[in-house]
Amino acid sequence: MMTSHEFLPASSPVPRGVRRVLDAMRANLGRNWRLTDLAAIAGTSGRTLQRQFLSFVGKTPRAALREIGLECARRELLQGTPGLRIMDVALDCGFPHFGRFSIAYRHRFGETPSQTLARQTAFADSLDGTPALLMPARDRPVMAFGPVEASPENREMAADLADQLVAALTRAGISVVTGTRAAPHLLTAAIRGSGVHTQLIVRLIDTETGRQLWAHRADGLSRDETATSEHLAVRIAAALQPCLRLAEIDHALRKPTVCLGAYDLALRAMPGVLSLDASGNGRALELLDRALQIEPDHPLATALAAWAHVQRVVYHFTTEAAQERARSLALVHKARTLCNDATVLAILGNALSLLNEFDAADLVTRKALTIDGGSAWAWSRSGWIDVYKGDPQSAIERFKIALDLAPHDPLAFNSTVGIGCALFTTGQYAEGARWQERALAEHPSASWVHRTLCPAYVLAGQARQAQRSLVALRQHYPDLTVPEVQRGMPPLPASQCDLVVGALQEAGLPG
């Protein structure tokens, strides 16, 4: 199982007794804990412990234990170890009654345990037989990485994992070196413990400041599962990419203006492109124009500019739709000849799909996944392509793989929107609205989501929520009309576009 977070932040002002109890729960989830046992660990009475948990954790000790158990089960199922049995996971995580576990799991995560595990199998299958590729060396984040620290009994496993990590990081577009002198980032890894208690701890460190940027933990490693090492390495590479990308952007932001090259300007522009909002888009295009003046054929700057220009059409940031589409298309055609980097290809897939170039979008997105099977951006874009082609079930699985790989990526909310839109196309309007509301909660500035959220509420018969959504849409787009929506509509199947437009008209959007 893997984790990159704890139940409580280390800085929380939580009584020591509560922390001791939470640590004991994590260490022995399968135990049938009684309140008296927990109170003894905390050194308080049962009533005091109940009160402290409600005050500082927000739930009772039993509810906290249940939540920790569910998170533990989720991590283990996401790991997808070969031969893993859901019943064993339930027992290990403190759920002796399998049926109740399945109900609680579905209520917490929106899918059954078997659906989570099946998706990991599909993901693992997609990695099998991936050919070796020679990656371009320019404009790549540089990371120092040495041997994985391990005891003698785990050295063979450590060596195999180190090789798999180097391969996965390289495919993800990261240049891996052995010395820290020329590397702004250092990745360390250590295998601790033995048997079922074997644990991998990975840390990303800023070599200039010594600050830890990111950490990851994987439990229950096995020396007999080489395939698991590959899948684990891919997941680690995928999980660290958002943090590494932010570190690279921060480095570019701290550079003096006179020292900025095309790559630095593209990095500075990236947050604006990923924001999918009007102000961020405008700032990004200014930076990308400067980057392309310095280096007209820079792959990342070209791909980002292509995506940013078509965003202006789809998200109603412009009244010059035809001109923006033409600019995007020209940049896309140029970018396709420049680079085989997985990130650039995934960005091109975004632009091409929004330009209704589905076959080309599918081609570059599949190529991105061939290079880096852990590219959350490519998995998400392949989900959107499936939505546009009318295959919602495949789309939902791909969006969820993207969310499994990088749940904290700035673009993760767009996969959540995608799940909502895929559910909309299946007629599950209320559930689709719920996913889109979740995306808005994660990214409030993406007000264009109301364009499909309002119709979902209309078709679900939830008139009050539909009106609230329409008001929010018109607040951000006061001049928006039905014809404008039709001109900027993402390339959903025609029947679904008709449903969206009809529902917006019913809700009261001007014609």
Side-chain angles (χ1 to χ4, degrees), residues 1-14:
M1 70 189 77
M2 298 193 297
T3 180
S4 56
H5 65 280
E6 293 295 332
F7 193 71
L8 289 171
S11 59
S12 294
V14 176

Side-chain angles (χ1 to χ4, degrees), residues 57-69:
V57 182
K59 55 191 69 180
T60 65
R62 182 169 295 278
L65 178 62
R66 175 189 173 96
E67 180 72 11
I68 292 172

